[in-house]
Amino acid sequence: MTNFPSNHTELIKRVNSVVNDNPMSLTEIEIPNRNVSLFKVDIPASNSACARIGLFTGVHGDEPAAIASILAFLEQRKWTEFPNFEFVIYPCINPTGFDLGIRENIDSQDINRSFTGKGTPESLTVRKSVGKQKFDLWIDAHEDPEETGYYMYPLFSDESWGTQIVKQVSTVGPINSKPVIDDRDVKDGLVSLPSRQELSAFMKTTDQWPLALYAYSALGQNGMTTETPGQIDFDTRVQMQLSAQIHSMRLLQHSIL
Ligand SMILES: [Zn+2]
């Protein structure tokens, strides 16, 4: 993507200009102890709503293609393919980290280990803003700066979705062929996850929840964490993110319409 915004102010300016030209709204939410805010875009369904999609991006400040894909989703009006869906979009959950180009927030905290317990200013603000909303599909977009191939954590109700999404993404860029990433078994770009029961038990043993565990436990048991490979060119990574997002939405659309 050409002209990727170099800072949070620039990013929100771009988001705002899409919001001004389309039937959607932008909400600014103060983050305690920060001089930058959390921003949220709400896109209502243009027909009668039958599903709600949550897009969560930029928890890590050094994963630019994830943020760029949400900007592309907005600027290229990708939501118009889904007139029955309403979207709740957080384009940048870690504005201080984004401005500094670092994974953590300005206090060196990994927000993606703070989605339960006392949390961080950013995770608490997201949780408060989401409230009791439920989502039919949530997407937690990330990048892995060290990798050369795409992989993902599939938390879908229908286990075939992960395979279908990876297949689609493989038409855009390389899929990770490693058998193990971050101590987890991986097959054809899909991280093997514990069963739902084991996952629930595991969640009770740790207070360092990533956003995905919070989403899975509070927002709905149908979602994914995408990881595009930081070692390949930027535009391909953005297209891979978009491909995963849009294909998951198409699968949801097929399953309910
Ligand atoms: Zn990340």
Side-chain angles (χ1 to χ4, degrees):
M1 180 193 244
T2 47
N3 299 322
F4 180 65
S6 57
N7 59 55
H8 186 253
T9 305
E10 198 63 32
L11 170 69
I12 297 308
K13 211 182 274 178
R14 294 265 293 271
V15 169
N16 194 38
S17 100
V18 178
V19 171
N20 283 337
D21 289 344
N22 291 284
M24 54 178 75
S25 63
L26 183 66
T27 307
E28 179 173 359
I29 307 143
E30 197 181 314
I31 308 175
N33 305 318
R34 299 281 179 264
N35 56 15
V36 282
S37 302
L38 178 72
F39 285 85
K40 174 183 72 133
V41 179
D42 283 283
I43 307 178
S46 51
N47 293 347
S48 57
C50 66
R52 182 185 289 134
I53 318 296
L55 293 171
F56 299 86
T57 321
V59 175
H60 292 139
D62 60 348
E63 300 174 3
I67 291 174
S69 70
I70 297 301
L71 196 52
F73 185 85
L74 291 168
E75 292 184 334
Q76 296 169 22
R77 307 182 83 244
K78 300 289 187 190
W79 77 90
T80 57
E81 183 184 331
F82 308 99
N84 294 100
F85 290 178
E86 55 184 48
F87 295 88
V88 178
I89 302 174
Y90 294 88
C92 187
I93 291 171
N94 181 8
T96 59
F98 180 56
D99 277 344
L100 293 166
I102 57 171
R103 175 181 171 93
E104 295 83 8
N105 64 16
I106 196 171
D107 295 330
S108 305
Q109 297 163 315
D110 187 342
I111 298 168
N112 213 31
R113 299 289 179 271
S114 77
F115 274 88
T116 190
K118 67 178 170 49
T120 48
E122 292 84 0
S123 68
L124 291 172
T125 306
V126 169
R127 287 166 61 188
K128 197 172 162 193
S129 161
V130 169
K132 298 212 178 304
Q133 290 180 91
K134 296 284 179 194
F135 295 86
D136 301 282
L137 172 68
W138 52 263
I139 298 171
D140 169 38
H142 286 260
E143 296 208 272
D144 189 326
E146 290 165 14
E147 294 297 329
T148 54
Y150 173 89
Y151 65 95
M152 60 184 283
Y153 298 78
L155 282 154
F156 300 114
S157 318
D158 180 336
E159 286 182 12
S160 74
W161 284 23
T163 309
Q164 294 183 64
I165 290 165
V166 169
K167 193 176 164 198
Q168 194 65 33
V169 175
S170 76
T171 65
V172 183
I175 304 301
N176 206 298
S177 57
K178 286 187 182 168
V180 176
I181 299 173
D182 289 340
D183 299 328
R184 292 188 186 280
D185 291 341
V186 183
K187 193 165 182 285
D188 301 325
L190 291 171
V191 177
S192 304
L193 295 169
S195 69
R196 283 178 181 245
Q197 253 171 351
E198 287 165 337
L199 202 56
S200 301
F202 167 75
M203 286 159 72
K204 293 188 187 110
T205 68
T206 175
D207 61 357
Q208 299 207 320
W209 287 15
L211 187 146
L213 279 191
Y214 154 72
Y216 182 78
S217 103
L219 310 186
Q221 298 195 342
N222 197 50
M224 63 175 176
T225 296
T226 55
E227 299 274 1
T228 41
Q231 295 292 316
I232 69 165
D233 78 277
F234 185 69
D235 286 350
T236 303
R237 283 146 57 196
V238 177
Q239 291 309 316
M240 289 169 91
Q241 287 282 356
L242 265 179
S243 167
Q245 290 158 18
I246 288 167
H247 202 64
S248 67
M249 292 168 199
R250 285 179 184 160
L251 288 167
L252 178 66
Q253 186 160 252
H254 281 288
S255 76
I256 56 181
L257 290 179

